[in-house]
Structure formats: C-alpha cells, structure tokens
Amino acid sequence: MGFHFSLFLFLASLSVIWAQNVEDVTIVVNGTEVVTNTDDNYICATVDWWPHDKCNYDQCPWGSTSVINLDLTHPNLAKAIQAFKQLRIRIGGSLQDQVLYHVGNLQSPCHPFQKMASGLFGFSKGCLEMDRWDEVNHFLSKTGALVTFGLNALHGRHQIKKGVWGGNWDSSNAHDFIEYTVSKGYQIDSWEFGNELSGSGVGASVAAEQYGKDLINLKAIINNLYKDLHPKPLLVAPGGFY
Ligand SMILES: *[C@@H]1O[C@H](CO)[C@@H](O)[C@H](O)[C@H]1NC(C)=O
C-alpha cells in the first residue's frame, strides 16, 4: 500500500513538472515556399554485397543477388530496371566499408568476402575486381539507371572500442577506383561516403569531426578527378544511423 501511494505521489509530481513546460505556440505553415524538392528518381533499389552464405534466423536469403555474383545476363533483370524508367540503383550496404577495389596501387591482398567471426558483420574484407566492375557498368548503362555507389569509408581505420572506429580514412584505394571509373567513362550519379557510419552507426561508427575531415578530402578528390567533366557527381553524406 505504501509503495502504491508513493508511486502515485511520484506520478502526480511528474505531471506538475510536465504541466509547467506547456506553452502556447502558433505554427504557421507557409504553403507557397518550397523548402526542398524530391526529384523524379527517388525510387531506389540497393544492390548489396552480402555473399550467398550470409544467414540470419536459419535462412540464407541472399543467394546470388550481390554486386559480385548477380546474374547480369538474366533476361528479366534489365527489363525490370528499365520498367522504372530511371530507377536509382545504389550499390552498397553493410559490407561496403570492407570492400577493396582491385585497381591502382592497392597494397593489401584482394580476396572475396569470407565468414570471419571477429570481422565486422561476421565477414572479412572483400574485393571488387575491375573486370566485374566493367560488367556491372555495361549492364547498368543499358538500363538507364542512375547509379549511387557507396565507398569504403572504413579503409585504413582501426577499431578503437566496440562499434567505434578511429584514425584517418585511407582514401588511396577509393581515389584509384574513382579514377578508373572516370577513365572508362562510367556514369556515376553520386558517390556515397560509407554505410551508415554517422550518429550511433550500424555496426561501426566514426566520430563527426573525423568523418567531416575525411569528407572534405573526398570532395577534393572528386573535384580533382572530375575537374573537366560536367555534371560532377554528387557526394552523398552523412550516411547515418540515429
Ligand atoms: C511565404 O513564402 C514566400 C516565398 O518565400 C514569401 O514571399 C512570403 O512572404 C511568405 N509568407 C509569410 C506569411 O511568411
């Protein structure tokens, strides 16, 4: 009885505290002012990196749907994309920050994703071969899709505590990859910086100041590599999980 009474008093005092914060406000909605626009290409599908052996809840649903193993010659695939007129295709997902691009001065070995208990999301680093990147682009250019590509924003960093990564982004591999992409004339609508690394992150996060510094670096790389080209691709950031 005593407990119930004190709980009642506690709730009663809370409602007094809440009542004190009530204010009358007037909200004016200016219906003539455009704050932002949603463009015609807001319908988006992601092509992910998950390998066939990514399993959850006793199911391994990914099969051959990844950037690496998707059957690009399937007759219905291009038609399905074309049916959307200009579908946005985002290439990315949880594993994108562990992808190495096999191009330029890559110093580390480039191996396919493998299950690794200690790895981020349970996988090792993975590898995108340029032959495959060529095939993906030949396919996408036929479909008229707009392409957003998520770059490996954890490359060169290290884990400083659970879920938190520090150190500068090593941009060299992304630089060489973008340079290759430009040299081939592949159309990238936008480059995304990391997969949901801002805020609390999903799996991994990078502090705002560090993330901002690396973003300025990436912006400079894009401006430099596309300096004679128009339109320049957009930079998509921050990708966050809040
Ligand atoms: C609404 O926005 C328009 C366009 O910016 C502006 O001209 C107008 O003064 C605004 N009206 C009010 C009531 O703020």
Side-chain angles (χ1 to χ4, degrees):
M1 194 61 188
F3 169 74
H4 285 134
F5 182 65
S6 52
L7 181 64
F8 169 76
L9 272 187
F10 172 70
L11 290 175
S13 56
L14 265 187
S15 62
V16 170
I17 296 167
W18 284 331
Q20 284 171 347
N21 288 334
V22 171
E23 281 175 37
D24 287 333
V25 294
T26 307
I27 294 174
V28 179
V29 177
N30 187 342
T32 62
E33 192 167 22
V34 177
V35 178
T36 186
N37 278 305
T38 301
D39 69 18
D40 291 338
N41 315 107
Y42 67 91
I43 300 178
C44 176
T46 288
V47 180
D48 215 299
W49 292 95
W50 289 120
H52 67 95
D53 54 350
K54 163 65 179 170
C55 306
N56 287 101
Y57 316 109
D58 293 331
Q59 292 182 355
C60 310
W62 295 91
S64 297
T65 58
S66 89
V67 193
I68 304 291
N69 62 20
L70 183 63
D71 177 6
L72 301 171
T73 64
H74 193 290
N76 288 344
L77 185 60
K79 285 185 195 151
I81 296 173
Q82 281 159 347
F84 282 93
K85 299 282 181 273
Q86 261 203 322
L87 182 64
R88 179 179 297 279
I89 295 217
R90 175 223 176 201
I91 298 175
S94 301
L95 295 182
Q96 82 182 41
D97 293 304
Q98 288 154 265
V99 176
L100 297 173
Y101 319 117
H102 203 179
V103 64
N105 296 317
L106 180 62
Q107 302 297 332
S108 350
C110 212
H111 296 310
F113 286 116
Q114 288 202 317
K115 278 198 175 170
M116 192 170 102
S118 61
L120 184 58
F121 300 108
F123 282 89
S124 67
K125 287 180 182 168
C127 184
L128 176 61
E129 298 291 348
M130 290 307 101
D131 289 356
R132 178 64 181 174
W133 184 229
D134 295 341
E135 285 169 14
V136 168
N137 279 283
H138 294 149
F139 169 78
L140 289 172
S141 69
K142 276 193 311 206
T143 66
L146 286 178
V147 182
T148 297
F149 186 94
L151 292 166
N152 60 5
L154 288 182
H155 187 49
R157 301 191 208 275
H158 55 276
Q159 195 169 347
I160 48 182
K161 62 179 186 192
K162 194 174 186 327
V164 181
W165 291 60
N168 288 333
W169 176 50
D170 179 348
S171 59
S172 59
N173 191 219
H175 172 280
D176 294 351
F177 176 61
I178 298 173
E179 189 171 49
Y180 177 86
T181 302
V182 172
S183 76
K184 291 280 181 168
Y186 300 149
Q187 296 298 308
I188 303 297
D189 173 78
S190 36
W191 296 100
E192 177 196 32
F193 190 52
N195 180 69
E196 301 183 2
L197 297 175
S198 298
S200 56
V202 62
S205 70
V206 174
E209 197 176 325
Q210 178 70 57
Y211 186 93
K213 213 172 96 182
D214 297 318
L215 202 56
I216 291 169
N217 181 14
L218 175 58
K219 182 78 182 168
I221 290 172
I222 291 175
N223 282 343
N224 180 36
L225 293 176
Y226 285 89
K227 64 174 173 293
D228 302 320
L229 300 170
H230 297 282
K232 280 194 181 46
L234 299 173
L235 181 45
V236 178
F241 198 81
Y242 300 94

